[in-house]
Amino acid sequence: MAASAELRFHELEEAAEPPAGERPSHAAVELGPGCEEGEPGADADSAELLGGQQQPRSFWTFEYYQAFFDVDTHQVLDRIKGSVTPLPGKNFVRHRLRNNPDLYGPFWICATLVFALAISGNLSHLPEKQASPSFHYSPQFHKVTIAATVVYCYAWLVPLALWGYLRWRRGPGARGSSYSFLETVCVYGYSLFVYIPTAVLWLIPAAWLQWLLLAVAALLSASVLALTFWPLVRAEGRAAALALLAAVVALHALLAVCCKLYFFQRPPGAGPAPSPLHATLGTEPHHSRAPHHFANLSQPASSRQ
């Protein structure tokens, strides 16, 4: 009787036990009150972190300036093309920048112009060295510093003065109808691109060709500036608008003239400027010996002996 009762107990125990496939793989762990799943505090911290990334970038952060260099090669080439092809009705700011000015193009254009002026200015004295072997010339590395100071000061201070004048004349209420300071700097930076090939072509030792290239380059780049700022200054009256545009064009041409006269001037102590043919062939001008020969013939025979 006891044996049958014990057998019956084991059968009931086995029936109450769950199958092997339905057993839990691991034991549940109790979470404390501060570590509950879906805790509101954790969601609040995540929301605060994500929300902080959408805040305006600070002036002292690298990300603030990174946005000014966010352009691709196609945009830079398109803006360079627009800076050398002034077309009536094609405003550089409205048709090229499209509310997305950059500092990448102006920075590297100014840097390239600095080295083009300094290097071409030094190489321009090689024909004089070939024409006059006694002339001693040493490279003038200080011209790089002077070129950088002139170019970058012009590319920043002149746009700043123009932007400040236009804002002062229009008043604070006309902010939407004027260009921003970054757009003004961008226009001036790209307008200097045409001076880079001009500085390289100034190596041709022909004065008339150098001045012709200067006039063409200044005309192209100054026309881009005039067409860009004309919609803003024409509201000031015809006389005031023409005077302001004349000042903009004159300063732009003055930069080219000063660079031409300073970086490509003949150094003191150099001989006469060689002709383009002699400078190209690398030969010295031929001096006739006829006057010296006739001078010997004019002397008496006794003195010649």
Side-chain angles (χ1 to χ4, degrees), residues 15-45:
E17 189 175 357
E22 297 180 3
R23 293 180 183 177
S25 58
H26 58 276
V29 180
E30 274 190 33
L31 298 177
C35 301
E36 295 182 358
E37 199 174 279
E39 183 181 6
D43 294 340
D45 293 342

Short mmCIF file of all heavy atoms in Angstrom, two decimals, residues 15-45:
data_model
loop_
_atom_site.label_atom_id
_atom_site.label_comp_id
_atom_site.label_asym_id
_atom_site.label_seq_id
_atom_site.Cartn_x
_atom_site.Cartn_y
_atom_site.Cartn_z
N ALA A 15 3.85 14.94 -13.80
CA ALA A 15 2.83 15.62 -14.59
C ALA A 15 2.84 17.12 -14.36
O ALA A 15 2.56 17.91 -15.25
CB ALA A 15 1.46 15.03 -14.25
N ALA A 16 3.15 17.56 -13.16
CA ALA A 16 3.19 19.01 -12.85
C ALA A 16 4.44 19.68 -13.38
O ALA A 16 4.49 20.91 -13.57
CB ALA A 16 3.09 19.21 -11.35
N GLU A 17 5.51 18.94 -13.67
CA GLU A 17 6.76 19.53 -14.16
C GLU A 17 6.62 19.88 -15.63
O GLU A 17 6.15 19.06 -16.42
CB GLU A 17 7.90 18.52 -13.95
CG GLU A 17 9.27 19.11 -14.23
CD GLU A 17 10.33 18.10 -13.89
OE1 GLU A 17 9.97 17.01 -13.41
OE2 GLU A 17 11.51 18.40 -14.12
N PRO A 18 7.00 21.14 -16.12
CA PRO A 18 6.88 21.55 -17.52
C PRO A 18 7.83 20.78 -18.40
O PRO A 18 8.85 20.26 -17.93
CB PRO A 18 7.22 23.04 -17.49
CG PRO A 18 8.08 23.20 -16.30
CD PRO A 18 7.58 22.20 -15.28
N PRO A 19 7.48 20.66 -19.69
CA PRO A 19 8.39 19.97 -20.62
C PRO A 19 9.75 20.64 -20.71
O PRO A 19 9.93 21.82 -20.36
CB PRO A 19 7.65 20.04 -21.96
CG PRO A 19 6.23 20.30 -21.61
CD PRO A 19 6.24 21.06 -20.33
N ALA A 20 10.73 19.90 -21.22
CA ALA A 20 12.11 20.43 -21.27
C ALA A 20 12.23 21.60 -22.21
O ALA A 20 12.99 22.53 -21.99
CB ALA A 20 13.07 19.30 -21.71
N GLY A 21 11.44 21.61 -23.33
CA GLY A 21 11.53 22.72 -24.29
C GLY A 21 10.91 23.99 -23.80
O GLY A 21 11.17 25.06 -24.33
N GLU A 22 10.06 23.90 -22.78
CA GLU A 22 9.39 25.10 -22.28
C GLU A 22 10.05 25.69 -21.06
O GLU A 22 9.56 26.63 -20.48
CB GLU A 22 7.92 24.76 -21.96
CG GLU A 22 7.14 24.34 -23.18
CD GLU A 22 5.71 24.01 -22.82
OE1 GLU A 22 5.37 24.20 -21.62
OE2 GLU A 22 4.94 23.60 -23.70
N ARG A 23 11.14 25.10 -20.62
CA ARG A 23 11.82 25.61 -19.44
C ARG A 23 12.56 26.91 -19.80
O ARG A 23 13.14 27.02 -20.87
CB ARG A 23 12.82 24.58 -18.93
CG ARG A 23 12.14 23.33 -18.39
CD ARG A 23 13.16 22.34 -17.90
NE ARG A 23 12.50 21.11 -17.45
CZ ARG A 23 13.17 20.03 -17.01
NH1 ARG A 23 14.51 20.05 -16.98
NH2 ARG A 23 12.50 18.97 -16.63
N PRO A 24 12.60 27.90 -18.92
CA PRO A 24 13.34 29.16 -19.19
C PRO A 24 14.82 28.90 -19.29
O PRO A 24 15.37 28.08 -18.56
CB PRO A 24 12.97 30.05 -18.02
CG PRO A 24 12.58 29.12 -16.92
CD PRO A 24 11.95 27.92 -17.58
N SER A 25 15.48 29.62 -20.25
CA SER A 25 16.92 29.42 -20.47
C SER A 25 17.76 30.03 -19.38
O SER A 25 18.89 29.64 -19.16
CB SER A 25 17.33 29.98 -21.83
OG SER A 25 16.99 31.36 -21.88
N HIS A 26 17.26 31.05 -18.74
CA HIS A 26 18.03 31.67 -17.68
C HIS A 26 17.05 32.23 -16.66
O HIS A 26 15.88 32.46 -16.94
CB HIS A 26 18.93 32.79 -18.23
CG HIS A 26 18.18 33.87 -18.94
ND1 HIS A 26 17.83 33.73 -20.27
CD2 HIS A 26 17.67 35.05 -18.50
CE1 HIS A 26 17.16 34.82 -20.63
NE2 HIS A 26 17.04 35.62 -19.57
N ALA A 27 17.58 32.51 -15.54
CA ALA A 27 16.75 33.02 -14.46
C ALA A 27 16.57 34.51 -14.59
O ALA A 27 17.47 35.23 -15.04
CB ALA A 27 17.37 32.67 -13.10
N ALA A 28 15.42 34.95 -14.20
CA ALA A 28 15.14 36.39 -14.23
C ALA A 28 15.86 37.07 -13.10
O ALA A 28 15.98 36.53 -12.01
CB ALA A 28 13.64 36.64 -14.15
N VAL A 29 16.35 38.29 -13.40
CA VAL A 29 17.07 39.06 -12.39
C VAL A 29 16.22 40.23 -11.98
O VAL A 29 15.69 40.95 -12.83
CB VAL A 29 18.44 39.54 -12.94
CG1 VAL A 29 19.18 40.34 -11.90
CG2 VAL A 29 19.25 38.35 -13.40
N GLU A 30 16.08 40.45 -10.77
CA GLU A 30 15.28 41.55 -10.26
C GLU A 30 16.05 42.85 -10.42
O GLU A 30 17.24 42.92 -10.14
CB GLU A 30 14.96 41.33 -8.77
CG GLU A 30 13.73 40.49 -8.57
CD GLU A 30 13.32 40.49 -7.12
OE1 GLU A 30 13.54 41.54 -6.47
OE2 GLU A 30 12.81 39.49 -6.65
N LEU A 31 15.36 43.87 -10.88
CA LEU A 31 15.95 45.19 -11.03
C LEU A 31 15.54 46.05 -9.85
O LEU A 31 14.41 45.99 -9.39
CB LEU A 31 15.47 45.85 -12.33
CG LEU A 31 15.85 45.10 -13.60
CD1 LEU A 31 15.24 45.82 -14.80
CD2 LEU A 31 17.35 44.99 -13.75
N GLY A 32 16.48 46.84 -9.44
CA GLY A 32 16.19 47.72 -8.33
C GLY A 32 15.28 48.84 -8.75
O GLY A 32 14.99 49.05 -9.92
N PRO A 33 14.80 49.62 -7.82
CA PRO A 33 13.88 50.71 -8.13
C PRO A 33 14.51 51.79 -8.98
O PRO A 33 13.84 52.49 -9.72
CB PRO A 33 13.46 51.22 -6.76
CG PRO A 33 14.54 50.78 -5.83
CD PRO A 33 15.02 49.47 -6.38
N GLY A 34 15.83 51.96 -8.92
CA GLY A 34 16.48 53.00 -9.71
C GLY A 34 16.94 52.53 -11.06
O GLY A 34 17.49 53.31 -11.83
N CYS A 35 16.74 51.23 -11.41
CA CYS A 35 17.23 50.69 -12.68
C CYS A 35 16.10 50.05 -13.46
O CYS A 35 16.28 49.02 -14.10
CB CYS A 35 18.33 49.67 -12.44
SG CYS A 35 19.75 50.33 -11.56
N GLU A 36 14.93 50.57 -13.38
CA GLU A 36 13.80 50.01 -14.09
C GLU A 36 13.93 50.28 -15.58
O GLU A 36 14.45 51.30 -16.02
CB GLU A 36 12.49 50.60 -13.57
CG GLU A 36 12.22 50.22 -12.12
CD GLU A 36 10.90 50.80 -11.66
OE1 GLU A 36 10.28 51.50 -12.47
OE2 GLU A 36 10.51 50.55 -10.52
N GLU A 37 13.46 49.34 -16.39
CA GLU A 37 13.51 49.46 -17.83
C GLU A 37 12.55 50.54 -18.29
O GLU A 37 11.45 50.66 -17.78
CB GLU A 37 13.14 48.12 -18.46
CG GLU A 37 13.59 48.00 -19.89
CD GLU A 37 13.31 46.62 -20.40
OE1 GLU A 37 14.12 45.74 -20.11
OE2 GLU A 37 12.27 46.44 -21.06
N GLY A 38 12.97 51.33 -19.27
CA GLY A 38 12.13 52.43 -19.72
C GLY A 38 12.06 53.56 -18.72
O GLY A 38 11.03 54.19 -18.54
N GLU A 39 13.17 53.81 -18.02
CA GLU A 39 13.20 54.84 -16.99
C GLU A 39 13.04 56.21 -17.61
O GLU A 39 13.70 56.55 -18.58
CB GLU A 39 14.53 54.73 -16.25
CG GLU A 39 14.66 55.71 -15.10
CD GLU A 39 16.00 55.56 -14.43
OE1 GLU A 39 16.81 54.79 -14.96
OE2 GLU A 39 16.22 56.20 -13.41
N PRO A 40 12.15 57.06 -17.10
CA PRO A 40 11.95 58.39 -17.69
C PRO A 40 13.19 59.24 -17.64
O PRO A 40 13.44 60.05 -18.52
CB PRO A 40 10.81 58.98 -16.84
CG PRO A 40 10.15 57.80 -16.20
CD PRO A 40 11.20 56.78 -16.02
N GLY A 41 14.04 59.09 -16.64
CA GLY A 41 15.24 59.91 -16.54
C GLY A 41 16.21 59.66 -17.67
O GLY A 41 16.85 60.57 -18.18
N ALA A 42 16.32 58.39 -18.11
CA ALA A 42 17.23 58.08 -19.21
C ALA A 42 16.75 58.70 -20.51
O ALA A 42 17.54 59.21 -21.30
CB ALA A 42 17.35 56.56 -19.37
N ASP A 43 15.44 58.68 -20.75
CA ASP A 43 14.90 59.31 -21.96
C ASP A 43 15.12 60.81 -21.94
O ASP A 43 15.42 61.43 -22.96
CB ASP A 43 13.41 59.01 -22.08
CG ASP A 43 13.16 57.52 -22.31
OD1 ASP A 43 14.11 56.85 -22.76
OD2 ASP A 43 12.03 57.06 -22.04
N ALA A 44 14.99 61.39 -20.80
CA ALA A 44 15.20 62.84 -20.69
C ALA A 44 16.64 63.21 -20.97
O ALA A 44 16.93 64.20 -21.65
CB ALA A 44 14.79 63.33 -19.31
N ASP A 45 17.59 62.37 -20.46
CA ASP A 45 19.00 62.65 -20.72
C ASP A 45 19.32 62.52 -22.20
O ASP A 45 20.05 63.32 -22.78
CB ASP A 45 19.88 61.70 -19.92
CG ASP A 45 19.77 61.95 -18.42
OD1 ASP A 45 19.31 63.07 -18.07
OD2 ASP A 45 20.11 61.06 -17.64
#
